[in-house]
PDB file of all heavy atoms in Angstrom:
ATOM      1  N   SER A 478    -110.905  -6.071-196.758  1.00 88.00           N
ATOM      2  CA  SER A 478    -112.245  -6.606-196.896  1.00 88.00           C
ATOM      3  C   SER A 478    -112.248  -8.105-197.149  1.00 88.00           C
ATOM      4  O   SER A 478    -113.288  -8.711-197.323  1.00 88.00           O
ATOM      5  CB  SER A 478    -112.945  -5.907-198.105  1.00 88.00           C
ATOM      6  OG  SER A 478    -112.202  -6.142-199.307  1.00 88.00           O
ATOM      7  N   ARG A 479    -111.021  -8.728-197.137  1.00 88.00           N
ATOM      8  CA  ARG A 479    -110.853 -10.166-197.384  1.00 88.00           C
ATOM      9  C   ARG A 479    -111.534 -10.589-198.701  1.00 88.00           C
ATOM     10  O   ARG A 479    -112.294 -11.547-198.753  1.00 88.00           O
ATOM     11  CB  ARG A 479    -111.392 -11.000-196.235  1.00 88.00           C
ATOM     12  CG  ARG A 479    -110.873 -12.462-196.233  1.00 88.00           C
ATOM     13  CD  ARG A 479    -111.272 -13.218-194.993  1.00 88.00           C
ATOM     14  NE  ARG A 479    -110.890 -14.608-195.023  1.00 88.00           N
ATOM     15  CZ  ARG A 479    -111.662 -15.620-195.390  1.00 88.00           C
ATOM     16  NH1 ARG A 479    -112.913 -15.380-195.695  1.00 88.00           N
ATOM     17  NH2 ARG A 479    -111.248 -16.842-195.403  1.00 88.00           N
ATOM     18  N   THR A 480    -111.256  -9.787-199.736  1.00 88.00           N
ATOM     19  CA  THR A 480    -111.836 -10.085-201.026  1.00 88.00           C
ATOM     20  C   THR A 480    -110.665 -10.324-202.027  1.00 88.00           C
ATOM     21  O   THR A 480    -109.550  -9.879-201.811  1.00 88.00           O
ATOM     22  CB  THR A 480    -112.703  -8.948-201.537  1.00 88.00           C
ATOM     23  OG1 THR A 480    -111.929  -7.755-201.554  1.00 88.00           O
ATOM     24  CG2 THR A 480    -113.920  -8.779-200.653  1.00 88.00           C
ATOM     25  N   ILE A 481    -111.002 -11.033-203.085  1.00 88.00           N
ATOM     26  CA  ILE A 481    -110.023 -11.334-204.136  1.00 88.00           C
ATOM     27  C   ILE A 481    -110.086 -10.235-205.198  1.00 88.00           C
ATOM     28  O   ILE A 481    -111.144  -9.995-205.802  1.00 88.00           O
ATOM     29  CB  ILE A 481    -110.309 -12.720-204.778  1.00 88.00           C
ATOM     30  CG1 ILE A 481    -110.141 -13.831-203.738  1.00 88.00           C
ATOM     31  CG2 ILE A 481    -109.388 -12.951-205.974  1.00 88.00           C
ATOM     32  CD1 ILE A 481    -110.512 -15.214-204.251  1.00 88.00           C
ATOM     33  N   ILE A 482    -108.949  -9.530-205.393  1.00 87.00           N
ATOM     34  CA  ILE A 482    -108.901  -8.474-206.400  1.00 87.00           C
ATOM     35  C   ILE A 482    -108.815  -9.097-207.797  1.00 87.00           C
ATOM     36  O   ILE A 482    -109.519  -8.735-208.717  1.00 87.00           O
ATOM     37  CB  ILE A 482    -107.720  -7.547-206.141  1.00 87.00           C
ATOM     38  CG1 ILE A 482    -107.864  -6.880-204.752  1.00 87.00           C
ATOM     39  CG2 ILE A 482    -107.617  -6.502-207.202  1.00 87.00           C
ATOM     40  CD1 ILE A 482    -106.669  -6.051-204.365  1.00 87.00           C
ATOM     41  N   SER A 483    -107.907 -10.061-207.935  1.00 87.00           N
ATOM     42  CA  SER A 483    -107.736 -10.784-209.220  1.00 87.00           C
ATOM     43  C   SER A 483    -107.105 -12.139-208.916  1.00 87.00           C
ATOM     44  O   SER A 483    -106.495 -12.342-207.880  1.00 87.00           O
ATOM     45  CB  SER A 483    -106.852  -9.980-210.175  1.00 87.00           C
ATOM     46  OG  SER A 483    -105.551  -9.806-209.623  1.00 87.00           O
ATOM     47  N   ASN A 484    -107.251 -13.063-209.850  1.00 86.00           N
ATOM     48  CA  ASN A 484    -106.673 -14.383-209.693  1.00 86.00           C
ATOM     49  C   ASN A 484    -106.410 -15.024-211.054  1.00 86.00           C
ATOM     50  O   ASN A 484    -106.996 -14.577-212.075  1.00 86.00           O
ATOM     51  CB  ASN A 484    -107.542 -15.273-208.823  1.00 86.00           C
ATOM     52  CG  ASN A 484    -108.874 -15.580-209.480  1.00 86.00           C
ATOM     53  OD1 ASN A 484    -109.438 -14.762-210.197  1.00 86.00           O
ATOM     54  ND2 ASN A 484    -109.403 -16.766-209.218  1.00 86.00           N
ATOM     55  N   SER A 485    -105.544 -16.024-211.070  1.00 85.00           N
ATOM     56  CA  SER A 485    -105.224 -16.756-212.283  1.00 85.00           C
ATOM     57  C   SER A 485    -104.843 -18.169-211.864  1.00 85.00           C
ATOM     58  O   SER A 485    -104.207 -18.339-210.843  1.00 85.00           O
ATOM     59  CB  SER A 485    -104.073 -16.086-213.018  1.00 85.00           C
ATOM     60  OG  SER A 485    -103.670 -16.830-214.146  1.00 85.00           O
ATOM     61  N   SER A 486    -105.214 -19.153-212.654  1.00 84.00           N
ATOM     62  CA  SER A 486    -104.957 -20.551-212.290  1.00 84.00           C
ATOM     63  C   SER A 486    -104.533 -21.376-213.467  1.00 84.00           C
ATOM     64  O   SER A 486    -104.739 -20.991-214.633  1.00 84.00           O
ATOM     65  CB  SER A 486    -106.199 -21.170-211.626  1.00 84.00           C
ATOM     66  OG  SER A 486    -107.277 -21.165-212.521  1.00 84.00           O
ATOM     67  N   THR A 487    -103.921 -22.523-213.179  1.00 84.00           N
ATOM     68  CA  THR A 487    -103.578 -23.522-214.166  1.00 84.00           C
ATOM     69  C   THR A 487    -103.974 -24.882-213.626  1.00 84.00           C
ATOM     70  O   THR A 487    -103.850 -25.149-212.445  1.00 84.00           O
ATOM     71  CB  THR A 487    -102.055 -23.505-214.525  1.00 84.00           C
ATOM     72  OG1 THR A 487    -101.803 -24.508-215.490  1.00 84.00           O
ATOM     73  CG2 THR A 487    -101.203 -23.760-213.311  1.00 84.00           C
ATOM     74  N   ILE A 488    -104.464 -25.749-214.479  1.00 83.00           N
ATOM     75  CA  ILE A 488    -104.939 -27.058-214.056  1.00 83.00           C
ATOM     76  C   ILE A 488    -104.184 -28.126-214.847  1.00 83.00           C
ATOM     77  O   ILE A 488    -103.897 -27.982-216.027  1.00 83.00           O
ATOM     78  CB  ILE A 488    -106.468 -27.217-214.260  1.00 83.00           C
ATOM     79  CG1 ILE A 488    -106.948 -28.560-213.675  1.00 83.00           C
ATOM     80  CG2 ILE A 488    -106.846 -27.085-215.727  1.00 83.00           C
ATOM     81  CD1 ILE A 488    -108.454 -28.671-213.622  1.00 83.00           C
ATOM     82  N   ILE A 489    -103.841 -29.192-214.140  1.00 79.00           N
ATOM     83  CA  ILE A 489    -103.219 -30.368-214.799  1.00 79.00           C
ATOM     84  C   ILE A 489    -104.243 -31.478-214.778  1.00 79.00           C
ATOM     85  O   ILE A 489    -104.669 -31.934-213.748  1.00 79.00           O
ATOM     86  CB  ILE A 489    -101.935 -30.798-214.046  1.00 79.00           C
ATOM     87  CG1 ILE A 489    -100.863 -29.741-214.204  1.00 79.00           C
ATOM     88  CG2 ILE A 489    -101.400 -32.123-214.595  1.00 79.00           C
ATOM     89  CD1 ILE A 489     -99.578 -30.048-213.500  1.00 79.00           C
ATOM     90  N   ASP A 490    -104.609 -31.920-215.950  1.00 69.00           N
ATOM     91  CA  ASP A 490    -105.605 -32.991-216.048  1.00 69.00           C
ATOM     92  C   ASP A 490    -104.993 -34.204-216.755  1.00 69.00           C
ATOM     93  O   ASP A 490    -104.757 -35.237-216.139  1.00 69.00           O
ATOM     94  CB  ASP A 490    -106.828 -32.503-216.821  1.00 69.00           C
ATOM     95  CG  ASP A 490    -108.012 -33.402-216.603  1.00 69.00           C
ATOM     96  OD1 ASP A 490    -107.847 -34.517-216.073  1.00 69.00           O
ATOM     97  OD2 ASP A 490    -109.152 -33.003-216.989  1.00 69.00           O
ATOM     98  N   ASP A 491    -104.650 -34.041-218.004  1.00 67.00           N
ATOM     99  CA  ASP A 491    -104.053 -35.156-218.748  1.00 67.00           C
ATOM    100  C   ASP A 491    -102.517 -35.025-218.875  1.00 67.00           C
ATOM    101  O   ASP A 491    -101.850 -36.043-219.097  1.00 67.00           O
ATOM    102  CB  ASP A 491    -104.654 -35.262-220.152  1.00 67.00           C
ATOM    103  CG  ASP A 491    -106.142 -35.553-220.091  1.00 67.00           C
ATOM    104  OD1 ASP A 491    -106.558 -36.281-219.139  1.00 67.00           O
ATOM    105  OD2 ASP A 491    -106.895 -35.079-220.967  1.00 67.00           O
ATOM    106  N   GLY A 492    -102.012 -33.825-218.745  1.00 69.00           N
ATOM    107  CA  GLY A 492    -100.583 -33.615-218.908  1.00 69.00           C
ATOM    108  C   GLY A 492     -99.847 -33.693-217.587  1.00 69.00           C
ATOM    109  O   GLY A 492    -100.339 -34.198-216.599  1.00 69.00           O
ATOM    110  N   ILE A 493     -98.625 -33.159-217.568  1.00 79.00           N
ATOM    111  CA  ILE A 493     -97.839 -33.179-216.342  1.00 79.00           C
ATOM    112  C   ILE A 493     -97.360 -31.772-215.929  1.00 79.00           C
ATOM    113  O   ILE A 493     -96.807 -31.597-214.869  1.00 79.00           O
ATOM    114  CB  ILE A 493     -96.587 -34.085-216.481  1.00 79.00           C
ATOM    115  CG1 ILE A 493     -95.695 -33.594-217.588  1.00 79.00           C
ATOM    116  CG2 ILE A 493     -97.011 -35.519-216.672  1.00 79.00           C
ATOM    117  CD1 ILE A 493     -94.379 -34.344-217.654  1.00 79.00           C
ATOM    118  N   GLU A 494     -97.580 -30.713-216.810  1.00 83.00           N
ATOM    119  CA  GLU A 494     -97.138 -29.386-216.483  1.00 83.00           C
ATOM    120  C   GLU A 494     -98.213 -28.353-216.798  1.00 83.00           C
ATOM    121  O   GLU A 494     -99.044 -28.591-217.696  1.00 83.00           O
ATOM    122  CB  GLU A 494     -95.882 -28.995-217.229  1.00 83.00           C
ATOM    123  CG  GLU A 494     -94.605 -29.648-216.724  1.00 83.00           C
ATOM    124  CD  GLU A 494     -93.342 -29.067-217.378  1.00 83.00           C
ATOM    125  OE1 GLU A 494     -93.500 -28.269-218.275  1.00 83.00           O
ATOM    126  OE2 GLU A 494     -92.242 -29.441-216.961  1.00 83.00           O
ATOM    127  N   GLY A 495     -98.218 -27.269-216.050  1.00 86.00           N
ATOM    128  CA  GLY A 495     -99.130 -26.187-216.318  1.00 86.00           C
ATOM    129  C   GLY A 495     -98.465 -24.867-215.936  1.00 86.00           C
ATOM    130  O   GLY A 495     -97.703 -24.813-214.976  1.00 86.00           O
ATOM    131  N   VAL A 496     -98.797 -23.766-216.687  1.00 89.00           N
ATOM    132  CA  VAL A 496     -98.186 -22.470-216.421  1.00 89.00           C
ATOM    133  C   VAL A 496     -99.290 -21.422-216.334  1.00 89.00           C
ATOM    134  O   VAL A 496    -100.298 -21.486-217.062  1.00 89.00           O
ATOM    135  CB  VAL A 496     -97.210 -22.080-217.552  1.00 89.00           C
ATOM    136  CG1 VAL A 496     -96.617 -20.729-217.304  1.00 89.00           C
ATOM    137  CG2 VAL A 496     -96.101 -23.120-217.682  1.00 89.00           C
ATOM    138  N   THR A 497     -99.126 -20.474-215.398  1.00 89.00           N
ATOM    139  CA  THR A 497    -100.043 -19.334-215.315  1.00 89.00           C
ATOM    140  C   THR A 497     -99.279 -18.124-214.804  1.00 89.00           C
ATOM    141  O   THR A 497     -98.221 -18.259-214.191  1.00 89.00           O
ATOM    142  CB  THR A 497    -101.219 -19.661-214.363  1.00 89.00           C
ATOM    143  OG1 THR A 497    -102.172 -18.578-214.442  1.00 89.00           O
ATOM    144  CG2 THR A 497    -100.754 -19.787-212.931  1.00 89.00           C
ATOM    145  N   THR A 498     -99.798 -16.929-215.161  1.00 90.00           N
ATOM    146  CA  THR A 498     -99.208 -15.670-214.689  1.00 90.00           C
ATOM    147  C   THR A 498    -100.273 -14.752-214.143  1.00 90.00           C
ATOM    148  O   THR A 498    -101.452 -14.890-214.454  1.00 90.00           O
ATOM    149  CB  THR A 498     -98.465 -14.944-215.836  1.00 90.00           C
ATOM    150  OG1 THR A 498     -99.419 -14.635-216.869  1.00 90.00           O
ATOM    151  CG2 THR A 498     -97.355 -15.818-216.398  1.00 90.00           C
ATOM    152  N   LEU A 499     -99.885 -13.815-213.310  1.00 90.00           N
ATOM    153  CA  LEU A 499    -100.833 -12.838-212.722  1.00 90.00           C
ATOM    154  C   LEU A 499    -100.066 -11.577-212.367  1.00 90.00           C
ATOM    155  O   LEU A 499     -98.957 -11.657-211.821  1.00 90.00           O
ATOM    156  CB  LEU A 499    -101.477 -13.423-211.475  1.00 90.00           C
ATOM    157  CG  LEU A 499    -102.526 -12.496-210.789  1.00 90.00           C
ATOM    158  CD1 LEU A 499    -103.727 -12.280-211.694  1.00 90.00           C
ATOM    159  CD2 LEU A 499    -102.938 -13.081-209.439  1.00 90.00           C
ATOM    160  N   GLU A 500    -100.686 -10.424-212.721  1.00 89.00           N
ATOM    161  CA  GLU A 500    -100.080  -9.129-212.346  1.00 89.00           C
ATOM    162  C   GLU A 500    -100.745  -8.639-211.087  1.00 89.00           C
ATOM    163  O   GLU A 500    -101.964  -8.555-210.991  1.00 89.00           O
ATOM    164  CB  GLU A 500    -100.242  -8.087-213.484  1.00 89.00           C
ATOM    165  CG  GLU A 500     -99.500  -6.782-213.191  1.00 89.00           C
ATOM    166  CD  GLU A 500     -99.555  -5.838-214.370  1.00 89.00           C
ATOM    167  OE1 GLU A 500     -98.863  -6.123-215.376  1.00 89.00           O
ATOM    168  OE2 GLU A 500    -100.266  -4.834-214.249  1.00 89.00           O
TER     169      GLU A 500
END
Side-chain angles (χ1 to χ4, degrees):
S478 59
R479 197 174 177 262
T480 57
I481 296 176
I482 299 175
S483 62
N484 65 328
S485 175
S486 61
T487 179
I488 186 170
I489 293 179
D490 197 348
D491 297 327
I493 61 172
E494 285 189 354
V496 179
T497 187
T498 61
L499 180 66
E500 186 173 290

